[in-house]
Amino acid sequence: MPTIRKEIIIDASLDQVWDAVRDVSAVHNRLVPGYIENTLMNGHERTLILPQGGFVREFIVSIDEEERRMAYAVKEGRMPLLHHHASFQVIPNDENGSKLVWITDFLPEQLTKIIQAHIDRGAEVMKDTIEAEAQRNDFNTAH
């Protein structure tokens, strides 16, 4: 089974990054705006609405406050997945920064290139979005 591990260095505190990741109903605002149009929750089920009208239905498997880890699994979407499980974990990177570790396991193996491209682009958008929010919050706190 293929595994993709992506480490994202983010210039924001652990608490700021974790707050964005754990907010599973606001993916479209706090993690990947423009990449996801809207987020709908129904218990542990999350539906991500895509800009061109598609959707991805996921289960939120775990939100672990102590480990700062959130796990989810894709249940339905436009890709012909046989299996998908992923997690985000926020860990210290330096005195002020954080590392967001995104690990994705999936089948079939033939989807590796397309999933890698989605993860790479999603990681860029997450980094930019979380850093911009952290800067706004730091500015508002200072003034």
Side-chain angles (χ1 to χ4, degrees):
M1 178 180 313
T3 297
I4 297 173
R5 178 185 173 96
K6 183 75 173 183
E7 294 187 0
I8 310 159
I9 305 302
I10 301 177
D11 186 18
S13 73
L14 286 171
D15 289 340
Q16 290 168 321
V17 177
W18 174 239
D19 190 58
V21 169
R22 71 178 302 285
D23 193 357
V24 296
S25 65
V27 174
H28 62 293
N29 290 325
R30 309 234 14 231
L31 289 181
V32 285
Y35 206 69
I36 302 297
E37 194 83 12
N38 199 3
T39 307
L40 308 173
M41 295 297 298
N42 183 11
H44 291 283
E45 187 177 277
R46 173 171 74 182
T47 302
L48 305 175
I49 306 300
L50 306 175
Q52 282 73 38
F55 69 92
V56 177
R57 188 162 292 125
E58 302 172 334
F59 282 126
I60 303 302
V61 177
S62 174
I63 299 174
D64 185 332
E65 297 289 343
E66 189 173 315
E67 294 293 325
R68 290 188 184 97
R69 182 177 178 275
M70 189 277 286
Y72 66 99
V74 173
K75 176 183 171 187
E76 180 184 0
R78 56 185 171 188
M79 277 194 256
L81 291 163
L82 299 174
H83 173 82
H84 176 284
H85 180 270
S87 65
F88 289 107
Q89 187 164 14
V90 183
I91 59 176
N93 185 52
D94 59 27
E95 281 187 30
N96 298 318
S98 302
K99 186 183 296 185
L100 179 57
V101 180
W102 186 2
I103 300 173
T104 305
D105 301 312
F106 60 91
L107 286 172
E109 188 173 336
Q110 294 84 346
L111 295 175
T112 299
K113 284 184 181 179
I114 191 163
I115 290 174
Q116 182 71 62
H118 282 291
I119 288 172
D120 289 344
R121 180 65 186 129
E124 290 173 12
V125 175
M126 280 182 223
K127 175 180 173 57
D128 292 345
T129 302
I130 294 170
E131 286 179 349
E133 181 178 318
Q135 286 178 345
R136 279 192 308 274
N137 290 344
D138 290 346
F139 177 81
N140 291 336
T141 302
H143 290 88

